[in-house]
Amino acid sequence: MKIRVLSEADAGDYQALRLRALQTNPESFGSTYEREAVFAIEMVQERIRPDENKFVLGAYNTDGSLVGIVTFIRETLLKSQHKGNIYGMYVAPETRGQGVGKALMLEVIQQAKKTEGLEQVILQVVSTNGSAKKLYKSLGFETYGVEPRAIKDRGLYFDEDLMVLFLHK
């Protein structure tokens, strides 16, 4: 497995996996398959283009297939630049349980630690996703709250655990 920062050239692979994520686990994302399925490739390229405050990591398996993604976005307002957010974490079902998610998270944390002035990383996870919560806790994330009914999908509500990792304790 190889993990690297995605670029515009990876937009097709990213979009295919992102759409699969939205179909496979719709309760885990704020967006929908219907919304993103019509995104032009240029929009996807812009979405994943890395800059000083944002990057998307991709995990590729040995056959060159993209099997995992995670996005990091640093806050840009002066009083919140010490925080970064993790979004859109997804691992293809056929590769779950093989360490892909852990490898992606370890790499995003390593990259975040290199960001000057960044002190903490925040994420949200659906409260019923026990395996993801277990992974995040094993990496040092702590739950600091729960947002009830954070996501509403097809009439069903899903709570989200709010988690934080302090990079320099």
Side-chain angles (χ1 to χ4, degrees), residues 27-122:
E27 74 284 355
S28 296
F29 303 96
S31 191
T32 64
Y33 174 86
E34 294 75 18
R35 176 178 174 262
E36 294 193 22
V38 297
F39 284 0
I41 197 70
E42 295 81 12
M43 187 171 185
V44 178
Q45 289 170 331
E46 178 58 32
R47 176 184 236 183
I48 69 170
R49 181 178 295 123
D51 64 32
E52 65 276 359
N53 293 311
K54 158 189 97 171
F55 60 86
V56 178
L57 292 178
Y60 286 85
N61 67 15
T62 54
D63 72 3
S65 301
L66 183 62
V67 295
I69 49 178
V70 64
T71 299
F72 173 84
I73 302 175
R74 182 182 189 168
E75 297 284 339
T76 56
L77 295 175
L78 182 62
K79 294 182 180 181
S80 56
Q81 288 180 342
H82 66 290
K83 298 187 289 186
N85 297 278
I86 292 176
Y87 298 108
M89 173 70 166
Y90 179 74
V91 174
E94 66 275 10
T95 58
R96 292 178 185 167
Q98 298 176 23
V100 175
K102 184 173 186 176
L104 276 168
M105 288 301 296
L106 286 170
E107 183 62 24
V108 78
I109 291 167
Q110 272 309 111
Q111 296 273 345
K113 284 181 175 179
K114 296 176 189 175
T115 306
E116 183 156 350
L118 193 73
E119 298 174 13
Q120 62 194 61
V121 179
I122 299 167

